[in-house]
Amino acid sequence: MALNNIDDARLVQQETAVGAGVQILVLALLGTAIGMGPAGWVTGLVFAVVLWAVLSRALHRSRLRSFGPANRVTLGRATLVGGVTALVADSFVSAPPVSLLVGLTAVALLLDGVDGKVARRTGTSTALGARFDMEVDAFLILVLSVYVSTAMGPWVLLIGLMRYAFVAAARVAPWLNAPLPPSMARKTVAAMQGICLLVAGADLLPYAAGFGVALLALGLLVWSFGRDVLWLWRTSRLTASEAAPVQRVLELAGR
């Protein structure tokens, strides 16, 4: 049994290594196609190494016996995000083909809902898989906001940074870590961020229209986060008020 567990762990880790190899292959293809400069290469390679290291550590801690088909889809999507990241980094030196950037991003966004469906149909849903999916989504939004901000201003970065600001705030205010109830509105707003940023950065619309699309995305995100934070705050206050009488009784009993 121990040997089987070791073999399973090795197979899982090998899949992450294959993912890193595929990422390097994607970078090589992009470099050949557009003559990608050092900025894109370095950023893409750093992305590949960091993704491999973080995912390997998470898999080791979770002790999964199988990587699973859903995680393979997410890993493939992460590879596309790595390509988008390299192109955006290269755009600060030379403008990459917008069609290539849009194409990679569009496929990554289309695959967003596939891994979840695969996980449910195959019965392989895991906390790690859900977290992996969420982190890939968040990083893609951050990269897209960086790209769009170069044309529309630094305010667009708020779209990509808001989720990370929420995570940082939760370290100071633990009540923000409480689970949220399922919400279709939250899922819709989250999905719209990538679409809106893609449209705004694709040069398909006049500048004013693209600016409005990005502003709409930010407004919806502020509303969504604001609603969730308010719900969490009210829930924490209610929980504290309900716990206070019990705590008081315990204190009196201790006397």
Side-chain angles (χ1 to χ4, degrees):
M1 181 64 71
L3 289 176
N4 288 337
N5 290 338
I6 293 173
D7 289 340
D8 290 338
R10 286 176 178 172
L11 288 174
V12 170
Q13 295 296 339
Q14 285 174 2
E15 295 209 44
T16 63
V18 170
V22 172
Q23 180 70 80
I24 294 173
L25 177 61
V26 169
L27 295 175
L29 293 174
L30 291 175
T32 303
I34 68 171
M36 191 165 59
W41 270 105
V42 170
T43 303
L45 290 173
V46 169
F47 177 90
V49 171
V50 171
L51 176 63
W52 170 80
V54 172
L55 186 56
S56 295
R57 179 177 174 80
L59 287 168
H60 177 73
R61 295 177 63 180
S62 66
R63 300 182 182 278
L64 287 182
R65 298 188 62 182
S66 172
F67 194 62
N71 284 334
R72 293 188 187 103
V73 175
T74 307
L75 184 58
R77 194 156 56 85
T79 301
L80 296 176
V81 172
V84 173
T85 303
L87 291 176
V88 170
D90 199 57
S91 71
F92 286 91
V93 180
S94 60
V98 176
S99 58
L100 181 58
L101 179 64
V102 170
L104 288 177
T105 303
V107 175
L109 291 174
L110 287 173
L111 289 175
D112 185 18
V114 174
D115 42 14
K117 291 181 180 179
V118 170
R120 288 188 291 272
R121 289 182 179 179
T122 58
T124 55
S125 299
T126 62
L128 174 62
R131 180 66 181 272
F132 185 23
D133 178 47
M134 181 174 61
E135 295 300 339
V136 172
D137 291 342
F139 192 78
L140 177 59
I141 298 304
L142 176 61
V143 171
L144 291 177
S145 68
V146 170
Y147 180 70
V148 176
S149 70
T150 59
M152 297 184 178
W155 63 270
V156 183
L157 293 173
L158 294 173
I159 297 175
L161 292 173
M162 197 168 300
R163 189 256 172 182
Y164 295 100
F166 179 85
V167 172
R171 293 182 177 274
V172 180
W175 52 270
L176 289 171
N177 287 314
L180 286 162
S183 170
M184 183 57 66
R186 185 188 309 116
K187 292 181 179 180
T188 302
V189 170
M192 286 183 63
Q193 300 306 303
I195 297 172
C196 288
L197 287 171
L198 178 61
V199 171
D203 293 333
L204 297 175
L205 301 174
Y207 179 83
F211 190 95
V213 169
L215 190 61
L216 173 64
L218 178 59
L220 289 173
L221 194 61
V222 169
W223 169 79
S224 180
F225 269 99
R227 188 184 68 155
D228 286 344
V229 169
L230 181 60
W231 187 91
L232 289 169
W233 180 78
R234 287 176 173 172
T235 301
S236 67
R237 299 283 292 181
L238 180 62
T239 302
S241 64
E242 291 176 347
V246 176
Q247 181 64 30
R248 181 59 177 168
V249 169
L250 292 175
E251 290 176 353
L252 291 174
R255 292 177 184 177

